Amino acid sequence: MSFVATPKVNFISAVFFDVSVILPQALGFFRECMAVSFLSHELSDLCIGKPALKSLPISATVGEALFALRQSGEAYVSVWTSDSSKPETKSCAGKLCMVDILCYLCAKDNISSPAAALKNPVSVLLSKEAAALVRCVESHSRVIDALDLILEGAHILLVPIRSRKKLQPHHSGIFCWLTPEDFARFFFNSISVFSPIAACSVTQLGLVRSTDILAVHHHDPALSALPLIHRALAEQTSVAVVTEDRKLIGEISPSTLTGCDESVAAALAVLSAGDFMAYIDWCTSPPDAAVRALKSLLKKKGMHEMVELMDVVSKPVLSSSTSSSSDEEGEIRKRPRRLRRLGSYSSRMGRRSEEAIVCHPGSSLVAVMVQALAHRVGYVWVVEEDYGLVGIVVLRDILKVFRDQFAEQFLIS
């Protein structure tokens, strides 16, 4: 009996031939599955564990907005208006944070009388574009569609909170909020899907903004940076503090200022940018020597009301428009003011303003995302080895890269 041996080389060639045919089909099928998976995600998936956003009526005062921020411990409060003919129908007029109040108190018309400024209506803090920065979105909306609203300029998406019984209607004002950071975490959790670009450098992807960088010299008055701080808040970036030769030595970040209280306005009014960086790191409990030195500077400049602002311990008087139980109010009166706010996430984690979050021009996209998400900021500074400032990478620009890549890979517009 004779056997005919099959040449191994022919068998191996056949296997490779089959793989070369099957592999593209398998990859195509995998992309289709991922497209279906991404498209199946709803905003409610991103809202798990999110607390309700504190809300205020448009009739509230700046002081009441300040108290609401202290009480909630959140970065933002929302402001709502109602239709006079249909009081039960409400619409969001915008959102506010501590940085809005600090910039307002230090404005030219208010810096000499901050106490009076706190009595003004909260509407003075809202810009003409305020309503466009906050968008109400249904919880069953696709994540990819909601992302488009963020890329169009929305800072916050308000999503009705689901209860066990029913979904809260829009006019109830009970919402949680989503920011670009929430969308970045969503994409980061599936970063392997975008592997071709995840390993690319931020320079290769064109993500480094190198022009029109918001920066101030460390010896400049901090008050001169006020327009830059306000703009950084609007652009969700930060203000770099640099030396004369453009070396980055720190930052004045809106994300850090959101964890401060109103007494920081006094420091912003008289300190240099470099000293202000140090003070905001102490904002929850500044050393007595620093407080005495600051008060002395304020008195020399005749800013006595700013000194009084630092000494204020009691909360602002609340009107009937702000909802709060008497027990809660009494408890807040008993607590020392500086213990009511815990400071920003970065300060609680031990990061100081002198320790700005940085990367290099050759840093990969995934490495930059890790930096931004770990420190809860919407940007990362780009520096050379000697800390020469190159530019900044903004989380919103990263989201656009993901959106474009998603459309290109899965042919979804």
Side-chain angles (χ1 to χ4, degrees):
M1 181 180 294
S2 62
F3 295 92
V4 178
T6 302
K8 291 183 179 180
V9 64
N10 292 340
F11 175 75
I12 294 174
S13 299
V15 170
F16 274 104
F17 174 77
D18 291 339
V19 169
S20 66
V21 173
I22 294 173
L23 186 58
Q25 297 176 352
L27 290 176
F29 178 72
F30 174 74
R31 289 193 183 97
E32 291 178 4
C33 290
M34 290 307 304
V36 172
S37 176
F38 267 86
L39 292 175
S40 67
H41 281 286
E42 298 181 350
L43 277 188
S44 57
D45 298 332
L46 277 64
C47 296
I48 297 173
K50 286 276 188 178
L53 180 64
K54 182 75 175 179
S55 62
L56 287 174
I58 195 69
S59 58
T61 65
V62 176
E64 289 170 349
L66 174 61
F67 176 68
L69 285 166
R70 289 185 195 165
Q71 186 186 40
S72 68
E74 296 294 332
Y76 301 101
V77 294
S78 57
V79 180
W80 294 77
T81 60
S82 58
D83 190 335
S84 57
S85 60
K86 297 180 179 180
E88 71 280 0
T89 303
K90 299 179 181 180
S91 60
C92 186
K95 50 94 178 172
L96 298 174
C97 68
M98 184 60 70
V99 185
D100 293 301
I101 296 177
L102 293 177
C103 290
Y104 179 67
L105 294 178
C106 289
K108 184 178 179 180
D109 296 336
N110 303 321
I111 195 168
S112 60
S113 54
L118 291 173
K119 298 177 182 178
N120 290 332
V122 75
S123 57
V124 299
L125 299 176
L126 299 173
S127 64
K128 294 179 180 179
E129 300 81 20
L133 299 179
V134 181
R135 303 290 295 272
C136 296
V137 187
E138 296 291 350
S139 61
H140 57 73
S141 300
R142 298 191 309 175
V143 170
I144 200 71
D145 294 333
L147 175 61
D148 289 337
L149 297 178
I150 291 290
L151 296 179
E152 289 170 7
H155 284 193
I156 286 179
L157 300 184
L158 297 183
V159 185
I161 290 181
R162 289 183 181 275
S163 67
R164 292 184 179 180
K165 295 181 179 180
K166 62 179 181 179
L167 182 66
Q168 298 292 346
H170 271 192
H171 59 74
S172 70
I174 304 177
F175 293 84
C176 67
W177 50 284
L178 297 174
T179 67
E181 179 186 331
D182 295 300
F183 287 87
R185 290 187 184 280
F186 172 77
F187 281 101
F188 184 77
N189 289 335
S190 302
I191 194 67
S192 60
V193 178
F194 303 93
S195 55
I197 63 169
C200 293
S201 72
V202 289
T203 301
Q204 289 175 316
L205 294 172
L207 288 170
V208 182
R209 296 186 183 183
S210 57
T211 59
D212 200 20
I213 301 300
L214 306 181
V216 62
H217 292 112
H218 66 97
H219 55 69
D220 289 342
L223 196 59
S224 67
L226 190 62
L228 300 182
I229 296 172
H230 198 272
R231 186 176 155 193
L233 177 65
E235 297 178 0
Q236 297 182 309
T237 57
S238 184
V239 180
V241 179
V242 298
T243 60
E244 295 293 343
D245 55 352
R246 297 282 293 181
K247 298 291 193 300
L248 182 68
I249 60 174
E251 64 177 345
I252 301 174
S253 171
S255 64
T256 301
L257 290 174
T258 54
C260 298
D261 58 32
E262 69 276 19
S263 68
V264 172
L268 181 59
V270 294
L271 296 181
S272 67
D275 291 338
F276 182 64
M277 279 198 310
Y279 192 88
I280 60 179
D281 288 330
W282 294 328
C283 69
T284 54
S285 184
D288 291 339
V291 172
R292 288 195 300 269
L294 178 56
K295 287 183 177 180
S296 177
L297 282 173
L298 290 168
K299 290 175 181 177
K300 286 181 180 179
K301 292 181 176 290
M303 297 182 179
H304 298 288
E305 287 207 23
M306 279 291 184
V307 176
E308 293 176 5
L309 183 67
M310 295 182 67
D311 292 333
V312 169
V313 177
S314 60
K315 67 178 181 62
V317 179
L318 295 179
S319 68
S320 58
S321 62
T322 305
S323 61
S324 178
S325 69
S326 59
D327 291 341
E328 289 175 341
E329 293 173 10
E331 181 62 24
I332 290 171
R333 283 194 188 98
K334 296 175 185 178
R335 286 181 287 178
R337 181 166 63 94
R338 295 197 182 278
L339 295 181
R340 292 181 200 150
R341 291 185 66 79
L342 298 177
S344 68
Y345 177 84
S346 294
S347 63
R348 295 201 303 272
M349 296 303 291
R351 182 175 74 86
R352 301 175 65 84
S353 295
E354 293 92 338
E355 300 170 349
I357 305 304
V358 300
C359 68
H360 298 295
S363 297
S364 67
L365 174 63
V366 67
V368 171
M369 289 190 71
V370 168
Q371 284 277 75
L373 294 176
H375 294 280
R376 304 290 297 274
V377 293
Y379 58 88
V380 176
W381 295 106
V382 183
V383 298
E384 299 288 0
E385 293 294 336
D386 61 353
Y387 271 70
L389 183 59
V390 175
I392 190 171
V393 175
V394 181
L395 208 54
R396 188 183 299 272
D397 295 339
I398 292 177
L399 290 175
K400 187 177 186 306
V401 168
F402 283 130
R403 182 63 176 91
D404 293 343
Q405 184 72 8
F406 188 83
E408 181 181 338
Q409 284 190 3
F410 306 133
L411 301 178
I412 297 173
S413 59

